[in-house]
Amino acid sequence: MDEITLKALAKINLGLDVVRRREDGYHEVRMVMQTIHLYDRLTIQKSQTPGIQIHTNLSFLPVNENNLVYRAGKLLMDEFGITDGVTVNLVKRIPVAAGMAGGSTDAAAMLYGLNQVFDLGLSRRELMERGVKIGADVPYCIMRGTALAEGIGEKLSVLPPMVKCPVLIAKPSVSVSTKFVYQNLQLDANTMHPNIDALIRDIRKQDLDGICADTGNILETVTIPQYPVIAQIKEQMIKSGAAAAMMSGSGPTVFGLFRDEETARHALVDMKSSSLARQVYLTNIYNNRRK
Ligand code: ATP
C-alpha cells in the first residue's frame, strides 16, 4: 500500500468535570467523551523525498514539528527506522483550538495510517500507548466511541454507545486558551460539579432525556463569563428546539443534541442566519470503534 485516506473524527464532551488540581499543576478530570461524524481528511502517501511533508488548506496552521501530525509521524518513523518519506495532505474542517480535539484526532489518524502504509503490525493498544506521548486525548481518538476519560484524560474506560441523535456544532469567532481556562477555574466548596455518574447511568439506559438533563461542563464557569457569545449560542440552540446545548472541552465550540432530524435542520438554518457563529455544522453521533 502506497497511499491511504482517512477520516480523523472530532469529539465532544457530553460531560466534563475537574475533580482536583494536582501538586504538579495538572488537573484531574472526569470526562465523558463522544465521537461525532465531523472530520478532517488525511491522505498519507509514501514518497521518495525523505522526511514528513505536510500540506493543509489552513494557511495559519504549522506544517513543521508544531503540527501534531508531524510529531505522530516522527515518533513512529524514528522507532521503526523508516527512511522513506511521507507526504500528508490534511483537509481541516474541525474548528481549530475549539475544544474538539482536532489536533489530537489528526495525530491519531497519522499513527493509524502509518501503521497500515508501512505494515508495522502494531495493535490498537500499541498505537494508543504511543499516542499518549503526543497528547492525553490521542489514545481516545485512536479508540473512538463513547468513553469515560479520567486521570489527566488518558485513563480510558469504554462505555456503552451513546444514543444516536443529530448534533449541531457552532463555533464563534473567538479563540480560547485552554491554559487560561484551567488556570482560572475556581475549585472550592461552592463549586457546582456536573454529575458524571448520573450521566453514565443515563447512557447505559439509552435515556436521551436523562442524558440531556445531566450533561454539564465545569469549564463553562470560566469561559462563558469571558465570552458571553457562548451563552447566546446555547440560548439560540435551545430556542430552536435542542434537547441540550453545551460547550465542548474548554470551548468555545457549543454543541446541541436534538431528538429529531427535522428540528436539527431548522436549527442549523437559524444558527447560520443568527451570525453568532463562524463555523456551523450539522452532524451526528458516531459509535464505531477502531479495531
Ligand atoms: P482539545 O479539544 O484537545 O483542547 P483543541 O480543539 O483545543 O483541542 P486543536 O484544534 O487541537 O485544539 O489545536 C490547538 C493548537 O494546536 C492550535 O493552536 C494549532 O496551532 C496546534 N495544532 C497542531 N497540530 C494541529 C492540527 N493538526 N490541527 C489543528 N491544530 C493543530
Side-chain angles (χ1 to χ4, degrees):
M1 190 193 296
D2 284 339
E3 180 181 319
I4 192 168
T5 296
L6 297 165
K7 287 179 182 177
L9 299 164
K11 63 89 180 158
I12 53 174
N13 296 103
L14 295 172
L16 196 164
D17 191 19
V18 179
V19 183
R20 67 178 189 104
R21 191 173 274 127
R22 298 196 317 202
E23 302 277 290
D24 59 8
Y26 280 99
H27 290 80
E28 240 165 64
V29 294
R30 291 190 86 212
M31 308 189 286
V32 176
M33 318 284 281
Q34 178 61 51
T35 310
I36 56 171
H37 201 213
L38 169 68
Y39 52 88
D40 295 340
R41 204 176 269 284
L42 224 85
T43 302
I44 304 168
Q45 247 180 335
K46 277 189 196 169
S47 91
Q48 304 298 328
T49 325
I52 304 163
Q53 317 287 326
I54 301 176
H55 305 282
T56 172
N57 58 323
L58 295 185
S59 55
F60 61 85
L61 267 196
V63 288
N64 55 15
E65 63 281 0
N66 292 324
N67 196 306
L68 297 186
V69 169
Y70 187 101
R71 269 189 245 167
K74 184 154 167 39
L75 188 132
L76 281 192
M77 289 168 80
D78 285 353
E79 180 181 344
F80 286 86
I82 295 168
T83 47
D84 285 353
V86 284
T87 303
V88 180
N89 190 35
L90 173 61
V91 180
K92 285 218 61 99
R93 285 177 79 227
I94 303 171
V96 174
M100 306 198 78
S104 304
T105 195
D106 295 343
M110 183 68 169
L111 294 174
Y112 184 87
L114 287 184
N115 189 40
Q116 307 272 319
V117 168
F118 290 105
D119 214 1
L120 305 179
L122 294 170
S123 64
R124 189 187 76 176
R125 174 144 298 284
E126 288 167 330
L127 288 176
M128 288 167 71
E129 283 162 11
R130 283 153 180 84
V132 75
K133 297 181 187 158
I134 299 161
D137 283 347
V138 177
Y140 167 72
C141 292
I142 293 172
M143 185 175 88
R144 297 174 166 174
T146 313
L148 174 67
E150 295 173 292
I152 59 163
E154 86 297 3
K155 285 188 196 144
L156 294 174
S157 316
V158 169
L159 293 174
M162 160 73 180
V163 182
K164 276 209 121 185
C165 69
V167 180
L168 182 63
I169 297 295
K171 191 218 165 238
S173 59
V174 294
S175 293
V176 173
S177 147
T178 303
K179 200 169 155 206
F180 171 88
V181 174
Y182 275 95
Q183 273 175 352
N184 287 278
L185 177 66
Q186 298 286 334
L187 287 178
D188 54 41
N190 298 323
T191 309
M192 291 282 287
H193 291 267
N195 190 341
I196 300 293
D197 291 324
L199 179 61
I200 293 171
R201 279 195 294 274
D202 301 326
I203 291 171
R204 289 193 194 286
K205 285 191 285 189
Q206 295 269 295
D207 172 7
L208 185 58
D209 287 334
I211 292 166
C212 290
D214 289 322
T215 53
N217 180 348
I218 198 169
L219 301 180
E220 286 189 341
T221 59
V222 184
T223 317
I224 292 186
Q226 200 74 16
Y227 302 105
V229 66
I230 296 169
Q232 289 176 288
I233 292 176
K234 287 177 57 166
E235 278 162 31
Q236 172 66 49
M237 284 195 191
I238 297 291
K239 212 167 75 187
S240 298
M246 204 178 73
M247 188 178 87
S248 187
S250 52
T253 305
V254 174
F255 66 87
L257 304 179
F258 288 80
R259 289 189 189 84
D260 66 275
E261 198 62 46
E262 199 189 335
T263 310
R265 269 200 298 272
H266 283 119
L268 170 73
V269 175
D270 293 346
M271 185 57 68
K272 282 187 172 166
S273 57
S274 76
S275 300
L276 289 169
R278 181 151 68 192
Q279 278 172 286
V280 185
Y281 300 106
L282 181 56
T283 178
N284 47 51
I285 297 291
Y286 183 96
N287 282 324
N288 294 348
R289 292 190 198 286
R290 278 207 178 98
K291 296 273 173 342

